[in-house]
Amino acid sequence: GEGVFTVPVKASVSGTCGDQQSTLTLNFYQGTFNVTFDFKKAAKGDGTTRYHVSMISLTYSEVPSIFPGSMTPNKPHTVSNSNLAVFPADQDRSYKCDADVHVKITKDVDLLVRQVHVQPFDVKKGQFSSAEECSQDPSPSKPSHALEIGLGVGLFLILVALGVFWYIRRRAAGKYRRMESVLGPDKVVD
């Protein structure tokens, strides 16, 4: 069956912290749901070390209130993906993302993660280090160019309007002759 659920704010949290690998498990709905995130460090060629979530495992039961019309109510399931590289950051920084991030666990199970802030390594005094923002979040370091684009389009439209106005005036001026040319330069009409 198909089901949609939200991890409650009061989910119980457990896990392990290691030098190269850490895990985070969220347990909720009276133990019928568990989501486990495995974090691993990886050294880069430039000498820096980064971490990422390498595996997500979801254990759940087809609770009828979440999976209406289930053919196998209350049947336990476990799905996982151990080929992931999501939520990456430098080892001494936290990872933060307020945007919606879709993570494919299996062909039939997607996990939507939003408002995540994690730091599986090098936590000091129980506080997050400076955050590495996800690419989906707008931030001051990635400003929106909407104002510049809007001003450019507005200026372009003003120039086009002036050009059209000038063209119409010039065309209209060519249709009428000045009174001087009809009466001659010496004649003045009073």
Side-chain angles (χ1 to χ4, degrees), residues 109-179:
V109 179
D110 285 341
L111 187 64
L112 171 65
V113 182
R114 67 170 50 122
Q115 297 179 332
V116 67
H117 196 177
V118 294
Q119 183 174 350
F121 304 102
D122 300 327
V123 176
K124 294 178 178 57
K125 297 181 183 177
Q127 298 293 315
F128 285 117
S129 298
S130 62
E132 196 164 314
E133 302 278 335
C134 68
S135 61
Q136 295 93 331
D137 278 349
S139 70
S141 63
K142 298 178 265 180
S144 168
H145 297 292
L147 178 62
E148 291 89 348
I149 292 169
L151 288 174
V153 169
L155 184 60
F156 175 74
L157 291 175
I158 289 171
L159 290 175
V160 167
L162 286 173
V164 168
F165 176 74
W166 174 81
Y167 177 75
I168 290 171
R169 293 277 297 161
R170 186 164 165 100
R171 231 178 126 183
K175 289 182 180 178
Y176 302 105
R177 287 193 272 163
R178 299 185 71 109
M179 288 297 278

Side-chain angles (χ1 to χ4, degrees), residues 24 26 37 39 53 86-87 94-101 112-119 128 131-134 137:
L24 168 68
L26 304 173
F37 300 88
F39 296 87
V53 171
V86 294
F87 312 144
S94 63
Y95 174 87
K96 184 176 183 188
C97 192
D98 291 326
D100 291 355
V101 178
L112 171 65
V113 182
R114 67 170 50 122
Q115 297 179 332
V116 67
H117 196 177
V118 294
Q119 183 174 350
F128 285 117
E132 196 164 314
E133 302 278 335
C134 68
D137 278 349

Side-chain angles (χ1 to χ4, degrees), residues 10-21:
K10 294 185 178 188
S12 67
V13 179
S14 62
T16 60
C17 296
D19 290 336
Q20 297 297 313
Q21 185 172 347

